[in-house]
Amino acid sequence: MKSNPEWTDAHESQAKPTVSPRLWDISPPVDERSPVFPGDAAYAQRWNFRLGDDCPVNVATVSLSPHVGAHADAPLHYDPSGEPIGRLDLHPFIGPCRVIHAIDCIGGLVSWDDLVHASQDLPPRVLVRAYRQQPQTQFDMNLPAFAAETIERLADLGVQLIGIDSASIDPANSKNLPSHQAVRRRGLRVLENLLLDDVPEGDYELIALPLRWMQADASPVRAILREWR
């Protein structure tokens, strides 16, 4: 007796249910308590319309620095002739990545020695966890950052995007921003303020797309990691 192809496909799909890959949300929550660099614009929200008898919807106005929460820097942030975030190619912000732990990095700068244990066959995207627990209500003036030489080394190995769980790839009190300038010279993309507290070292798929803001120096991202198979 010939089998019914439609029945066979349905039967097999029931017998072998697909399992969705695990997701890690690496975007810290954003609200009025979210820390910002001193003097920068914090998150603020007000209601233009409120749901009620005479209004069918809630509508809010939100204002914030584009550097609040998980965000992508644009070259315009550190280069007066750099591209704004809305003009960047999206490919660096999605694809295979590696999370490397450099917790308690010496001197607050992530050196190559902090990463070398996980540096074999690096994918094009590298995210570094430097905090044991990311501060989410107060700006850390002693935040961990990258050493510029580390960025140069990663670029030499073909890395196209770097990320970190602190608010900046340079120390908060830096005036010449050597790591941002290394990124500028080498054409890398940057994610900052990622929440990596619960993410094990290893390989993942990164999805962290910036908004198409055509004049902005940065953009919030909803950054996630997807289980890599």
Side-chain angles (χ1 to χ4, degrees), residues 6 23-24 59 69 98 108 123 136 153 157 163 167 182 191 213 220 226:
E6 294 182 358
L23 299 181
W24 285 261
V59 178
R98 181 167 299 166
Q136 293 183 19
R153 192 76 172 263
L157 294 174
L191 294 174
W213 287 356
R226 186 155 59 180

Side-chain angles (χ1 to χ4, degrees), residues 35-107:
V36 296
F37 188 85
D40 204 356
Y43 178 92
Q45 178 179 316
R46 64 178 175 82
W47 293 105
N48 295 326
F49 302 101
R50 296 307 304 266
L51 189 63
D53 294 339
D54 59 346
C55 182
V57 292
N58 286 320
V59 178
T61 292
V62 171
S63 64
L64 76 165
S65 164
H67 299 270
V68 173
H71 63 274
D73 280 352
L76 181 60
H77 180 49
Y78 41 82
D79 180 352
S81 61
E83 292 276 21
I85 196 71
R87 296 191 182 277
L88 298 186
D89 180 12
L90 294 179
H91 283 91
F93 298 99
I94 182 169
C97 85
R98 181 167 299 166
V99 174
I100 304 178
H101 289 186
I103 301 169
D104 299 330
C105 47
I106 296 174

Side-chain angles (χ1 to χ4, degrees), residues 11 17 21 34 38-39 46 53 57 62 99 130 132 137 145 149 165 169 173 175 188 224:
H11 179 74
S34 299
R46 64 178 175 82
D53 294 339
V57 292
V62 171
V99 174
R132 289 195 175 276
T137 59
E149 309 84 64
D165 57 350
I169 60 171
N173 60 359
K175 300 301 182 185
L188 273 64
I224 66 168

Side-chain angles (χ1 to χ4, degrees), residues 9-46:
D9 291 344
H11 179 74
E12 289 181 352
S13 66
Q14 292 176 7
K16 298 178 181 179
T18 57
V19 178
S20 298
R22 181 178 174 184
L23 299 181
W24 285 261
D25 188 348
I26 57 172
S27 305
V30 173
D31 58 24
E32 290 84 354
R33 299 171 298 172
S34 299
V36 296
F37 188 85
D40 204 356
Y43 178 92
Q45 178 179 316
R46 64 178 175 82

Side-chain angles (χ1 to χ4, degrees), residues 154-206:
L154 290 169
D156 289 342
L157 294 174
V159 172
Q160 301 171 10
L161 175 144
I162 60 169
I164 194 167
D165 57 350
S166 75
S168 177
I169 60 171
D170 274 300
N173 60 359
S174 176
K175 300 301 182 185
N176 54 0
L177 302 180
S179 290
H180 282 87
Q181 292 306 313
V183 163
R184 178 189 60 79
R185 289 193 303 272
R186 303 305 296 268
L188 273 64
R189 298 293 170 250
V190 177
L191 294 174
E192 294 171 332
N193 228 20
L194 302 172
L195 180 58
L196 300 172
D197 290 1
D198 299 321
V199 181
E201 274 198 332
D203 290 344
Y204 302 85
E205 180 187 21
L206 170 69

Side-chain angles (χ1 to χ4, degrees), residues 123-137:
R125 301 154 194 87
V126 170
L127 310 182
V128 174
R129 178 188 171 193
Y131 279 118
R132 289 195 175 276
Q133 186 171 14
Q134 184 199 58
Q136 293 183 19
T137 59

